[in-house]
Structure formats: structure tokens, C-alpha cells
Coordinates of all heavy atoms in Angstrom, one line a residue:
M135 N 13.5 5.8 -19.2 CA 14.3 6.0 -20.5 C 14.1 7.5 -20.8 O 13.0 7.9 -21.1 CB 13.7 5.1 -21.5 CG 14.3 5.3 -22.8 SD 13.8 3.9 -23.9 CE 15.0 2.8 -23.8
K136 N 15.2 8.2 -20.7 CA 15.1 9.6 -21.0 C 14.8 10.0 -22.4 O 15.3 9.3 -23.3 CB 16.5 10.3 -20.5 CG 16.8 10.1 -19.1 CD 16.0 11.1 -18.2 CE 16.3 10.9 -16.8 NZ 15.2 11.1 -16.0
G137 N 14.0 11.0 -22.6 CA 13.7 11.5 -23.8 C 12.7 10.7 -24.6 O 12.3 11.0 -25.8
Q138 N 12.3 9.6 -24.1 CA 11.3 8.8 -24.9 C 9.9 9.2 -24.5 O 9.5 9.6 -23.4 CB 11.4 7.3 -24.4 CG 10.4 6.5 -25.2 CD 10.7 5.0 -25.1 OE1 11.8 4.7 -24.5 NE2 9.9 4.2 -25.6
K139 N 9.1 9.3 -25.6 CA 7.7 9.8 -25.4 C 6.7 8.7 -25.3 O 6.9 7.6 -26.0 CB 7.5 10.7 -26.8 CG 6.0 11.3 -26.7 CD 5.9 12.0 -28.0 CE 4.5 12.4 -28.3 NZ 3.5 11.3 -28.4
C140 N 5.8 8.8 -24.4 CA 4.8 7.8 -24.3 C 3.8 7.8 -25.4 O 3.5 8.9 -26.0 CB 4.0 8.1 -23.0 SG 2.5 6.9 -22.8
K141 N 3.6 6.7 -26.0 CA 2.7 6.6 -27.2 C 1.3 7.1 -27.0 O 0.6 7.4 -27.9 CB 2.6 5.1 -27.7 CG 4.0 4.6 -28.3 CD 3.8 3.3 -28.8 CE 5.1 2.8 -29.4 NZ 5.1 1.4 -29.9
S142 N 0.8 7.0 -25.7 CA -0.5 7.4 -25.4 C -0.7 8.9 -25.0 O -1.8 9.4 -24.8 CB -1.1 6.5 -24.3 OG -1.1 5.2 -24.7
C143 N 0.4 9.6 -24.9 CA 0.3 11.0 -24.4 C 0.8 12.0 -25.5 O 1.7 11.7 -26.3 CB 1.2 11.2 -23.2 SG 0.6 10.1 -21.8
S144 N 0.3 13.2 -25.3 CA 0.7 14.3 -26.2 C 2.0 14.8 -25.7 O 2.3 14.6 -24.5 CB -0.3 15.4 -26.4 OG -0.4 16.1 -25.2
E145 N 2.6 15.7 -26.4 CA 3.8 16.4 -25.9 C 3.5 17.2 -24.8 O 4.4 17.6 -24.0 CB 4.4 17.3 -27.1 CG 4.9 16.5 -28.3 CD 6.2 15.7 -28.0 OE1 6.8 16.0 -27.0 OE2 6.5 14.8 -28.8
N146 N 2.2 17.7 -24.6 CA 1.9 18.7 -23.6 C 1.7 18.1 -22.2 O 1.5 18.8 -21.3 CB 0.6 19.5 -24.0 CG 0.8 20.2 -25.3 OD1 1.9 20.7 -25.4 ND2 -0.2 20.3 -26.1
V147 N 1.6 16.7 -22.2 CA 1.4 16.1 -20.9 C 2.5 16.3 -20.0 O 3.7 16.1 -20.3 CB 1.1 14.6 -21.1 CG1 1.0 13.9 -19.7 CG2 -0.2 14.4 -21.8
K148 N 2.3 16.8 -18.8 CA 3.3 17.0 -17.7 C 3.0 16.1 -16.5 O 1.8 16.1 -16.1 CB 3.3 18.4 -17.3 CG 3.6 19.5 -18.4 CD 5.0 20.0 -18.2 CE 5.3 21.2 -19.1 NZ 5.3 20.9 -20.5
I149 N 4.0 15.4 -16.1 CA 3.8 14.5 -14.9 C 4.0 15.3 -13.7 O 5.0 16.0 -13.5 CB 4.7 13.4 -14.9 CG1 4.4 12.5 -16.2 CG2 4.7 12.5 -13.7 CD1 5.4 11.4 -16.4
K150 N 2.9 15.4 -12.8 CA 3.0 16.2 -11.7 C 3.5 15.4 -10.4 O 4.2 15.9 -9.6 CB 1.6 16.7 -11.3 CG 1.1 17.8 -12.3 CD -0.2 18.3 -12.0 CE -0.8 19.2 -13.0 NZ -2.1 19.4 -12.9
A151 N 3.2 14.2 -10.4 CA 3.6 13.3 -9.3 C 3.5 11.8 -9.7 O 2.7 11.6 -10.6 CB 2.7 13.6 -8.1
Q152 N 4.2 11.0 -9.0 CA 4.0 9.6 -9.2 C 2.6 9.2 -8.7 O 2.1 9.7 -7.7 CB 5.1 8.8 -8.5 CG 6.3 8.7 -9.3 CD 7.3 7.8 -8.6 OE1 8.1 8.3 -7.8 NE2 7.3 6.5 -8.9
I153 N 2.1 8.1 -9.2 CA 0.9 7.5 -8.6 C 1.2 6.9 -7.3 O 2.3 6.3 -7.2 CB 0.3 6.6 -9.7 CG1 -1.1 6.1 -9.2 CG2 1.2 5.3 -9.8 CD1 -1.9 5.3 -10.2
S154 N 0.3 7.1 -6.4 CA 0.6 6.5 -5.0 C 0.0 5.1 -5.0 O -0.8 4.8 -5.7 CB 0.0 7.5 -3.9 OG -1.4 7.3 -4.1
Q155 N 0.5 4.4 -4.0 CA -0.1 3.1 -3.7 C -1.6 3.1 -3.4 O -2.4 2.3 -3.8 CB 0.6 2.4 -2.6 CG 0.3 0.9 -2.4 CD 0.6 0.1 -3.7 OE1 1.7 0.2 -4.2 NE2 -0.4 -0.7 -4.2
D156 N -2.0 4.2 -2.6 CA -3.5 4.4 -2.4 C -4.3 4.6 -3.7 O -5.3 4.0 -3.8 CB -3.6 5.6 -1.5 CG -3.3 5.3 -0.1 OD1 -3.1 4.1 0.3 OD2 -3.2 6.2 0.7
Q157 N -3.7 5.4 -4.6 CA -4.4 5.6 -5.8 C -4.5 4.3 -6.7 O -5.5 4.1 -7.3 CB -3.7 6.6 -6.6 CG -3.9 8.1 -6.1 CD -2.9 9.1 -6.8 OE1 -1.7 8.9 -6.9 NE2 -3.5 10.1 -7.4
I158 N -3.4 3.5 -6.6 CA -3.4 2.2 -7.3 C -4.5 1.3 -6.7 O -5.3 0.7 -7.4 CB -2.0 1.5 -7.2 CG1 -1.0 2.3 -8.1 CG2 -2.1 0.1 -7.7 CD1 0.5 2.0 -7.9
N159 N -4.5 1.3 -5.4 CA -5.5 0.4 -4.6 C -6.8 0.8 -4.9 O -7.8 0.1 -5.2 CB -5.2 0.4 -3.2 CG -3.9 -0.3 -2.8 OD1 -3.3 -1.0 -3.6 ND2 -3.4 0.0 -1.6
D160 N -7.1 2.2 -5.0 CA -8.5 2.7 -5.2 C -8.9 2.3 -6.6 O -10.0 1.9 -6.9 CB -8.5 4.3 -5.2 CG -8.5 4.8 -3.7 OD1 -8.7 3.9 -2.9 OD2 -8.2 5.9 -3.5
A161 N -8.0 2.4 -7.7 CA -8.3 2.1 -9.0 C -8.7 0.6 -9.1 O -9.6 0.2 -9.7 CB -7.2 2.4 -9.9
I162 N -7.9 -0.2 -8.5 CA -8.1 -1.7 -8.5 C -9.4 -2.0 -7.8 O -10.2 -2.9 -8.4 CB -6.9 -2.5 -7.9 CG1 -5.7 -2.3 -8.8 CG2 -7.2 -3.9 -7.6 CD1 -4.4 -2.9 -8.3
D163 N -9.7 -1.4 -6.7 CA -11.0 -1.6 -6.0 C -12.2 -1.2 -7.0 O -13.2 -1.9 -6.9 CB -11.0 -0.7 -4.7 CG -10.2 -1.3 -3.6 OD1 -9.8 -2.4 -3.7 OD2 -10.0 -0.6 -2.6
K164 N -12.0 -0.2 -7.6 CA -13.1 0.2 -8.5 C -13.3 -0.9 -9.7 O -14.5 -1.2 -10.0 CB -12.8 1.6 -9.2 CG -13.1 2.7 -8.2 CD -12.8 4.1 -8.9 CE -12.9 5.2 -7.8 NZ -12.3 6.4 -8.1
L165 N -12.2 -1.3 -10.2 CA -12.3 -2.3 -11.3 C -12.9 -3.6 -10.7 O -13.6 -4.3 -11.4 CB -10.8 -2.5 -11.8 CG -10.3 -1.5 -12.7 CD1 -8.8 -1.8 -12.9 CD2 -11.0 -1.4 -13.9
A166 N -12.6 -3.9 -9.4 CA -13.1 -5.2 -8.8 C -14.6 -5.1 -8.7 O -15.2 -6.2 -8.6 CB -12.4 -5.4 -7.4
R167 N -15.2 -4.0 -8.7 CA -16.6 -3.9 -8.6 C -17.3 -4.3 -9.9 O -18.6 -4.6 -9.9 CB -17.1 -2.6 -8.2 CG -16.7 -2.2 -6.7 CD -17.3 -0.9 -6.3 NE -16.3 -0.3 -5.3 CZ -15.7 0.9 -5.5 NH1 -16.1 1.7 -6.3 NH2 -14.9 1.3 -4.5
S168 N -16.6 -4.4 -11.0 CA -17.2 -4.8 -12.2 C -17.1 -6.3 -12.3 O -16.1 -6.9 -12.2 CB -16.4 -4.2 -13.4 OG -16.8 -4.8 -14.6
K169 N -18.2 -6.9 -12.6 CA -18.3 -8.4 -12.7 C -17.6 -8.8 -14.0 O -17.3 -10.0 -14.1 CB -19.7 -8.8 -12.6 CG -20.4 -8.6 -11.4 CD -21.8 -9.1 -11.3 CE -22.4 -8.8 -9.9 NZ -23.8 -8.7 -9.9
R170 N -17.5 -7.9 -14.9 CA -16.9 -8.3 -16.2 C -15.4 -8.4 -16.2 O -14.8 -9.0 -17.1 CB -17.4 -7.5 -17.4 CG -18.8 -7.7 -17.8 CD -19.3 -6.8 -18.8 NE -19.3 -5.4 -18.3 CZ -19.4 -4.3 -19.2 NH1 -19.4 -4.5 -20.4 NH2 -19.5 -3.2 -18.6
I171 N -14.8 -7.8 -15.2 CA -13.3 -7.7 -15.2 C -12.8 -8.8 -14.2 O -13.2 -8.8 -13.1 CB -12.9 -6.3 -14.7 CG1 -13.3 -5.2 -15.7 CG2 -11.4 -6.2 -14.5 CD1 -13.0 -3.8 -15.5
K172 N -11.8 -9.6 -14.8 CA -11.3 -10.6 -14.1 C -9.8 -10.2 -13.8 O -9.1 -9.8 -14.7 CB -11.4 -11.9 -14.8 CG -12.7 -12.5 -15.0 CD -12.8 -13.9 -15.5 CE -14.1 -14.5 -15.6 NZ -15.3 -13.7 -15.3
F173 N -9.4 -10.7 -12.6 CA -7.9 -10.4 -12.2 C -7.2 -11.6 -12.3 O -7.7 -12.7 -12.2 CB -7.9 -9.8 -10.8 CG -8.4 -8.4 -10.5 CD1 -8.9 -8.0 -9.3 CD2 -8.5 -7.6 -11.7 CE1 -9.3 -6.8 -9.2 CE2 -8.9 -6.2 -11.4 CZ -9.4 -5.8 -10.2
V174 N -5.8 -11.5 -12.4 CA -5.0 -12.6 -12.5 C -4.7 -13.1 -11.1 O -4.9 -12.3 -10.1 CB -3.6 -12.3 -13.1 CG1 -3.8 -12.0 -14.6 CG2 -2.9 -11.1 -12.5
R175 N -4.1 -14.2 -10.9 CA -3.7 -14.7 -9.6 C -2.5 -13.9 -9.0 O -1.8 -13.2 -9.9 CB -3.2 -16.2 -9.6 CG -4.2 -17.2 -10.1 CD -3.6 -18.6 -9.9 NE -2.2 -18.7 -10.3 CZ -1.8 -19.2 -11.5 NH1 -2.6 -19.6 -12.4 NH2 -0.5 -19.2 -11.8
D176 N -2.3 -13.9 -7.7 CA -1.2 -12.9 -7.2 C 0.1 -13.4 -7.7 O 1.0 -12.5 -7.9 CB -1.2 -13.1 -5.7 CG -2.4 -12.4 -5.0 OD1 -3.1 -11.7 -5.6 OD2 -2.6 -12.7 -3.8
D177 N 0.4 -14.6 -7.9 CA 1.8 -15.1 -8.4 C 1.9 -14.5 -9.9 O 3.0 -14.1 -10.2 CB 2.0 -16.5 -8.4 CG 1.0 -17.3 -9.2 OD1 -0.2 -17.0 -9.1 OD2 1.4 -18.3 -9.9
V178 N 0.9 -14.5 -10.6 CA 1.0 -14.0 -12.0 C 1.2 -12.5 -12.0 O 2.0 -11.9 -12.7 CB -0.3 -14.3 -12.8 CG1 -0.2 -13.7 -14.2 CG2 -0.5 -15.8 -12.9
Y179 N 0.5 -11.8 -11.1 CA 0.6 -10.3 -10.9 C 2.0 -10.0 -10.5 O 2.7 -9.1 -11.1 CB -0.4 -9.9 -9.8 CG -0.4 -8.4 -9.6 CD1 -0.6 -7.4 -10.6 CD2 -0.1 -7.8 -8.2 CE1 -0.7 -6.1 -10.3 CE2 -0.1 -6.6 -8.0 CZ -0.5 -5.6 -9.0 OH -0.4 -4.4 -8.7
E180 N 2.6 -10.7 -9.5 CA 4.0 -10.5 -9.1 C 5.0 -10.7 -10.2 O 6.0 -10.0 -10.5 CB 4.4 -11.3 -7.9 CG 3.5 -11.0 -6.7 CD 3.6 -9.5 -6.3 OE1 4.8 -8.9 -6.4 OE2 2.7 -8.9 -5.9
F181 N 4.7 -11.8 -11.0 CA 5.6 -12.0 -12.2 C 5.6 -10.9 -13.2 O 6.6 -10.5 -13.6 CB 5.2 -13.3 -12.8 CG 6.0 -13.7 -14.1 CD1 7.2 -14.2 -14.1 CD2 5.5 -13.4 -15.4 CE1 7.9 -14.5 -15.2 CE2 6.1 -13.5 -16.5 CZ 7.4 -14.1 -16.5
R182 N 4.4 -10.5 -13.5 CA 4.2 -9.4 -14.4 C 5.0 -8.1 -14.0 O 5.6 -7.4 -14.7 CB 2.8 -9.0 -14.7 CG 2.1 -10.1 -15.5 CD 0.7 -9.8 -15.7 NE 0.0 -10.6 -16.6 CZ -1.3 -10.5 -17.0 NH1 -2.0 -9.5 -16.6 NH2 -1.8 -11.3 -17.8
L183 N 4.7 -7.7 -12.7 CA 5.4 -6.5 -12.1 C 7.0 -6.7 -12.1 O 7.7 -5.8 -12.3 CB 4.9 -6.2 -10.7 CG 3.4 -5.8 -10.7 CD1 3.1 -5.5 -9.3 CD2 3.2 -4.6 -11.6
L184 N 7.5 -7.9 -11.9 CA 8.9 -8.2 -11.9 C 9.4 -7.9 -13.3 O 10.5 -7.3 -13.5 CB 9.2 -9.6 -11.5 CG 10.7 -10.0 -11.5 CD1 11.4 -9.1 -10.4 CD2 10.8 -11.4 -11.1
Q185 N 8.7 -8.4 -14.3 CA 9.1 -8.2 -15.7 C 9.2 -6.7 -16.0 O 10.1 -6.2 -16.6 CB 8.2 -8.9 -16.7 CG 8.2 -10.4 -16.5 CD 9.6 -11.0 -16.5 OE1 10.4 -10.8 -17.5 NE2 10.0 -11.7 -15.5
C186 N 8.1 -5.9 -15.5 CA 8.1 -4.5 -15.8 C 9.3 -3.9 -15.1 O 9.8 -2.9 -15.7 CB 6.7 -4.0 -15.3 SG 5.4 -4.5 -16.4
S187 N 9.5 -4.2 -13.9 CA 10.6 -3.5 -13.1 C 12.0 -3.6 -13.8 O 12.8 -2.8 -13.6 CB 10.7 -4.2 -11.7 OG 11.2 -5.4 -11.8
K188 N 12.1 -4.6 -14.7 CA 13.4 -4.9 -15.4 C 13.4 -4.2 -16.9 O 14.3 -4.4 -17.5 CB 13.7 -6.3 -15.4 CG 14.0 -6.9 -14.1 CD 14.4 -8.3 -14.1 CE 13.3 -9.3 -14.5 NZ 13.6 -10.7 -14.4
C189 N 12.2 -3.7 -17.1 CA 12.0 -3.2 -18.6 C 12.5 -1.8 -18.9 O 12.2 -0.9 -18.0 CB 10.5 -3.4 -18.9 SG 10.1 -2.9 -20.5
E190 N 13.1 -1.6 -19.9 CA 13.5 -0.3 -20.3 C 12.4 0.7 -20.6 O 12.6 1.9 -20.7 CB 14.5 -0.3 -21.5 CG 14.0 -0.7 -22.7 CD 14.0 -2.3 -23.0 OE1 13.9 -3.0 -22.1 OE2 14.1 -2.6 -24.2
Y191 N 11.2 0.2 -20.8 CA 10.1 1.1 -21.2 C 9.3 1.5 -19.9 O 8.3 2.3 -20.0 CB 9.1 0.4 -22.1 CG 9.8 0.1 -23.4 CD1 10.0 -1.2 -23.8 CD2 10.0 1.1 -24.3 CE1 10.6 -1.5 -25.0 CE2 10.7 0.9 -25.6 CZ 11.0 -0.4 -25.9 OH 11.6 -0.7 -27.1
L192 N 9.7 1.1 -18.7 CA 9.0 1.5 -17.5 C 9.6 2.9 -17.1 O 10.9 3.0 -17.0 CB 9.2 0.5 -16.4 CG 8.5 0.8 -15.1 CD1 7.0 0.7 -15.3 CD2 8.9 0.0 -13.9
E193 N 8.8 3.9 -16.9 CA 9.2 5.2 -16.4 C 8.6 5.5 -15.0 O 7.3 5.1 -14.8 CB 8.7 6.3 -17.4 CG 9.6 6.5 -18.5 CD 10.8 7.3 -18.2 OE1 10.9 8.0 -17.1 OE2 11.8 7.3 -18.9
H194 N 9.3 6.1 -14.2 CA 8.8 6.6 -12.9 C 8.3 5.5 -12.0 O 7.5 5.6 -11.1 CB 7.7 7.6 -13.0 CG 7.9 8.7 -13.9 ND1 8.9 9.6 -13.8 CD2 7.4 9.0 -15.2 CE1 9.1 10.5 -14.8 NE2 8.1 10.1 -15.6
G195 N 8.7 4.2 -12.3 CA 8.4 3.0 -11.6 C 6.8 2.6 -11.7 O 6.4 1.7 -11.0
S196 N 6.2 3.3 -12.7 CA 4.8 3.0 -12.7 C 4.1 3.0 -14.2 O 3.2 2.4 -14.5 CB 4.0 4.0 -11.9 OG 4.3 5.3 -12.3
T197 N 4.8 3.8 -15.1 CA 4.2 4.0 -16.3 C 4.9 3.2 -17.4 O 6.1 3.4 -17.6 CB 4.2 5.5 -16.7 OG1 3.6 6.3 -15.7 CG2 3.5 5.8 -18.0
C198 N 4.1 2.4 -18.2 CA 4.7 1.8 -19.4 C 4.7 2.8 -20.5 O 3.6 3.3 -21.0 CB 3.8 0.5 -19.8 SG 4.3 -0.2 -21.3
M199 N 5.9 3.0 -21.1 CA 6.0 3.9 -22.2 C 5.5 3.4 -23.6 O 5.4 4.1 -24.5 CB 7.5 4.4 -22.3 CG 7.9 5.1 -21.1 SD 7.0 6.6 -20.6 CE 7.7 7.7 -21.7
Q200 N 5.1 2.1 -23.6 CA 4.6 1.5 -24.7 C 3.1 1.6 -24.9 O 2.6 1.7 -25.9 CB 4.9 0.0 -24.8 CG 6.4 -0.3 -25.1 CD 6.8 0.2 -26.5 OE1 6.2 -0.4 -27.5 NE2 7.7 1.1 -26.6
C201 N 2.4 1.6 -23.8 CA 1.0 1.8 -23.8 C 0.4 2.9 -22.9 O -0.7 3.3 -23.1 CB 0.3 0.4 -23.3 SG 0.6 0.0 -21.6
G202 N 1.2 3.5 -22.2 CA 0.8 4.6 -21.3 C 0.1 4.2 -20.0 O -0.4 5.0 -19.3
C203 N 0.0 2.9 -19.8 CA -0.8 2.4 -18.6 C 0.1 2.4 -17.3 O 1.3 2.3 -17.5 CB -1.3 0.9 -18.9 SG -2.5 0.8 -20.1
F204 N -0.5 2.5 -16.2 CA 0.1 2.3 -14.9 C 0.2 0.7 -14.8 O -0.8 0.0 -14.8 CB -0.7 2.8 -13.8 CG -0.7 4.3 -13.8 CD1 -1.9 5.1 -13.9 CD2 0.5 5.0 -13.7 CE1 -1.9 6.4 -13.9 CE2 0.5 6.5 -13.7 CZ -0.7 7.1 -13.8
V205 N 1.5 0.2 -14.9 CA 1.6 -1.2 -14.9 C 1.0 -2.0 -13.6 O 0.6 -3.0 -13.6 CB 3.1 -1.7 -15.0 CG1 3.6 -1.2 -16.4 CG2 4.0 -1.2 -13.9
Q206 N 1.0 -1.3 -12.5 CA 0.5 -1.9 -11.3 C -1.0 -2.1 -11.4 O -1.5 -3.0 -10.7 CB 0.7 -1.0 -10.1 CG 2.2 -0.9 -9.6 CD 2.9 0.2 -10.4 OE1 2.5 0.8 -11.3 NE2 4.2 0.3 -9.9
I207 N -1.7 -1.5 -12.3 CA -3.1 -1.6 -12.5 C -3.2 -2.6 -13.7 O -4.0 -3.6 -13.7 CB -3.8 -0.3 -12.8 CG1 -3.7 0.6 -11.6 CG2 -5.3 -0.6 -13.2 CD1 -4.1 2.0 -11.8
R208 N -2.5 -2.3 -14.8 CA -2.7 -3.2 -16.1 C -2.4 -4.6 -15.8 O -3.0 -5.5 -16.2 CB -1.8 -2.6 -17.1 CG -1.9 -3.4 -18.5 CD -1.0 -2.8 -19.5 NE -1.0 -3.5 -20.7 CZ -1.7 -3.0 -21.8 NH1 -2.5 -2.0 -21.7 NH2 -1.7 -3.8 -22.9
A209 N -1.3 -4.8 -14.9 CA -0.8 -6.2 -14.6 C -1.9 -7.0 -13.9 O -1.8 -8.3 -13.9 CB 0.5 -6.1 -13.9
K210 N -2.8 -6.4 -13.3 CA -3.9 -7.1 -12.6 C -4.9 -7.7 -13.5 O -5.6 -8.6 -13.1 CB -4.6 -6.1 -11.6 CG -4.1 -6.0 -10.2 CD -4.5 -7.2 -9.4 CE -4.2 -7.0 -8.0 NZ -4.4 -8.2 -7.2
L211 N -5.0 -7.2 -14.6 CA -6.2 -7.6 -15.5 C -5.8 -8.8 -16.4 O -4.8 -8.9 -17.0 CB -6.4 -6.4 -16.5 CG -6.8 -5.0 -15.8 CD1 -6.9 -4.0 -16.8 CD2 -7.9 -5.1 -14.8
E212 N -6.7 -9.8 -16.2 CA -6.5 -11.1 -16.9 C -6.3 -10.9 -18.3 O -5.6 -11.6 -19.0 CB -7.6 -12.0 -16.5 CG -7.5 -13.5 -17.0 CD -8.7 -14.3 -16.6 OE1 -9.7 -14.3 -17.3 OE2 -8.5 -15.1 -15.5
D213 N -7.2 -10.1 -18.9 CA -7.1 -9.9 -20.3 C -6.0 -9.0 -20.9 O -5.8 -8.9 -22.1 CB -8.4 -9.3 -20.9 CG -9.6 -10.3 -20.7 OD1 -9.3 -11.5 -20.6 OD2 -10.8 -9.8 -20.7
A214 N -5.3 -8.4 -20.0 CA -4.2 -7.5 -20.5 C -3.0 -8.2 -20.9 O -2.7 -9.3 -20.3 CB -3.9 -6.5 -19.3
R215 N -2.3 -7.6 -21.8 CA -1.0 -8.2 -22.2 C 0.0 -7.1 -22.3 O -0.2 -6.0 -22.3 CB -1.2 -8.7 -23.7 CG -2.2 -9.8 -23.9 CD -1.7 -11.1 -23.3 NE -2.8 -12.2 -23.3 CZ -3.6 -12.5 -22.3 NH1 -3.4 -11.9 -21.1 NH2 -4.4 -13.4 -22.4
C216 N 1.3 -7.5 -22.2 CA 2.4 -6.6 -22.3 C 2.3 -6.2 -23.8 O 2.1 -7.0 -24.7 CB 3.7 -7.3 -22.1 SG 5.2 -6.4 -22.7
P217 N 2.4 -4.9 -24.0 CA 2.2 -4.4 -25.4 C 3.3 -4.6 -26.4 O 3.2 -4.3 -27.6 CB 1.9 -2.8 -25.2 CG 2.7 -2.6 -24.0 CD 2.5 -3.8 -23.1
L218 N 4.4 -5.2 -25.9 CA 5.5 -5.4 -26.9 C 5.1 -6.5 -27.7 O 5.0 -7.7 -27.3 CB 6.8 -5.7 -26.1 CG 7.4 -4.7 -25.3 CD1 8.6 -5.1 -24.6 CD2 7.8 -3.4 -26.3
S219 N 4.9 -6.3 -29.1 CA 4.3 -7.3 -29.9 C 5.3 -8.4 -30.2 O 5.0 -9.6 -30.4 CB 3.8 -6.7 -31.2 OG 4.9 -6.1 -31.8
K220 N 6.6 -8.2 -30.2 CA 7.7 -9.2 -30.7 C 8.3 -9.7 -29.4 O 9.1 -10.7 -29.4 CB 8.7 -8.6 -31.5 CG 8.1 -8.2 -32.9 CD 9.2 -7.7 -33.8 CE 8.6 -7.4 -35.1 NZ 9.5 -6.6 -35.9
N221 N 8.1 -9.0 -28.2 CA 8.8 -9.6 -27.0 C 7.9 -9.3 -25.8 O 8.2 -8.6 -24.9 CB 10.1 -8.7 -26.9 CG 10.9 -9.3 -25.7 OD1 10.7 -10.4 -25.3 ND2 11.8 -8.5 -25.2
N222 N 6.7 -10.0 -25.8 CA 5.8 -9.9 -24.8 C 6.4 -10.4 -23.5 O 6.6 -11.7 -23.3 CB 4.5 -10.7 -25.1 CG 3.5 -10.8 -24.0 OD1 3.7 -10.3 -23.0 ND2 2.4 -11.3 -24.3
R223 N 6.7 -9.6 -22.6 CA 7.4 -10.0 -21.4 C 6.5 -10.6 -20.3 O 7.0 -11.1 -19.3 CB 8.2 -8.8 -20.8 CG 9.2 -8.4 -21.9 CD 10.1 -7.2 -21.4 NE 11.0 -6.9 -22.5 CZ 11.7 -5.8 -22.6 NH1 11.7 -5.0 -21.7 NH2 12.5 -5.7 -23.6
W224 N 5.3 -10.6 -20.6 CA 4.4 -11.3 -19.6 C 4.0 -12.7 -20.0 O 3.3 -13.4 -19.5 CB 3.1 -10.5 -19.4 CG 3.3 -9.2 -18.7 CD1 4.4 -8.6 -18.2 CD2 2.3 -8.2 -18.6 NE1 4.1 -7.4 -17.7 CE2 2.8 -7.1 -17.9 CE3 0.9 -8.2 -18.9 CZ2 2.1 -6.0 -17.5 CZ3 0.2 -7.0 -18.6 CH2 0.8 -5.9 -17.9
A225 N 4.6 -13.2 -21.2 CA 4.1 -14.4 -21.9 C 4.6 -15.6 -21.2 O 4.0 -16.7 -21.6 CB 4.6 -14.4 -23.3
H226 N 5.5 -15.6 -20.3 CA 6.0 -16.9 -19.8 C 5.1 -17.4 -18.6 O 5.5 -18.4 -18.0 CB 7.4 -16.7 -19.3 CG 8.3 -16.2 -20.4 ND1 8.5 -17.0 -21.5 CD2 8.8 -15.0 -20.7 CE1 9.3 -16.4 -22.4 NE2 9.5 -15.2 -21.9
Q227 N 4.0 -16.8 -18.3 CA 3.1 -17.4 -17.2 C 2.0 -18.2 -17.8 O 1.6 -17.9 -18.9 CB 2.5 -16.2 -16.4 CG 3.5 -15.6 -15.5 CD 3.8 -16.6 -14.3 OE1 2.9 -17.0 -13.6 NE2 5.0 -16.9 -14.0
Ligands
SF4_454 S1 4.0 -3.9 -19.9 FE1 5.7 -4.7 -21.1 S2 6.6 -3.0 -22.3 FE2 5.4 -2.1 -20.5 S3 6.8 -1.8 -18.9 FE3 5.8 -3.8 -18.6 S4 7.2 -5.3 -19.6 FE4 7.7 -3.2 -20.3

């Protein structure tokens, strides 16, 4: 969505490159080492990513402009929710 500002970033943030799959995997591996963090099942993860892929708030294929998170990481977390308060797109699982 052109011209939309991420709620979590200042005007000065410049995107240098898209996050790579290796960076996503590294972040998920680090989270997996915490016993307190639980992941969703693979089918739930895929459903969430599908919803994000169709969402107007997704930028660069990875960043949610509502919360500033990388959706490929946020969608893994059992406690995470789509930040749209009136239209939670992850709610149907
Ligand atoms: S988390 Fe929700 S608001 Fe953000 S990109 Fe995904 S579906 Fe859209």
C-alpha cells in the first residue's frame, strides 16, 4: 500500500532489503529455544500467511503495516493475533 506509514516505525526508517527466508528461519529457531513461546500448528500458520498475502496492509511480502511485524514470524506465535481489531483476519482458525 503506497504512502502508508507503518505504525511501529518513525518517518526516518528506511527499508534496505526484504527479509530473507534464512533470516526468518533464524528468528524462528531463536524463538523455538524459549520454553515459554508456543507455536501454532503448520495448518494454522499457513492459513494465517494466506490471509496476510491477501491483505492490503502487507508490504514487501513480509511486513504488516498495522503492527510492524514480519508476518512470517508473528504468524508462528500461538499468542499472536492479527492486529486488526474489527476485522481480525486470523480469527477463523
Ligand atoms: S497480520 Fe492482519 S493486518 Fe497484518 S498483514 Fe496480516 S492480515 Fe493484514
Side-chain angles (χ1 to χ4, degrees):
M135 179 172 262
K136 295 285 178 216
Q138 183 163 355
K139 180 180 168 300
C140 175
K141 291 181 177 176
S142 298
C143 300
S144 74
E145 296 285 346
N146 297 326
V147 171
K148 299 254 190 293
I149 296 171
K150 293 180 183 162
Q152 272 186 274
I153 189 169
S154 70
Q155 190 60 51
D156 283 346
Q157 289 172 304
I158 292 167
N159 293 342
D160 284 349
I162 291 172
D163 286 347
K164 284 179 186 161
L165 289 169
R167 290 185 213 127
S168 169
K169 290 180 180 155
R170 287 182 291 165
I171 295 176
K172 295 192 179 355
F173 290 157
V174 294
R175 296 185 323 257
D176 287 347
D177 62 314
V178 174
Y179 182 60
E180 294 304 321
F181 174 81
R182 288 177 171 187
L183 291 182
L184 179 64
Q185 298 309 305
C186 292
S187 73
K188 298 184 283 189
C189 178
E190 67 270 28
Y191 296 110
L192 186 69
E193 274 284 342
H194 311 295
S196 58
T197 305
C198 172
M199 298 301 279
Q200 287 294 300
C201 64
C203 293
F204 293 117
V205 296
Q206 290 86 350
I207 299 169
R208 184 182 178 99
K210 269 283 194 192
L211 306 175
E212 188 177 79
D213 291 340
R215 300 288 176 261
C216 166
L218 292 176
S219 58
K220 293 182 180 168
N221 188 17
N222 176 356
R223 295 182 182 166
W224 294 354
H226 302 293
Q227 282 288 306

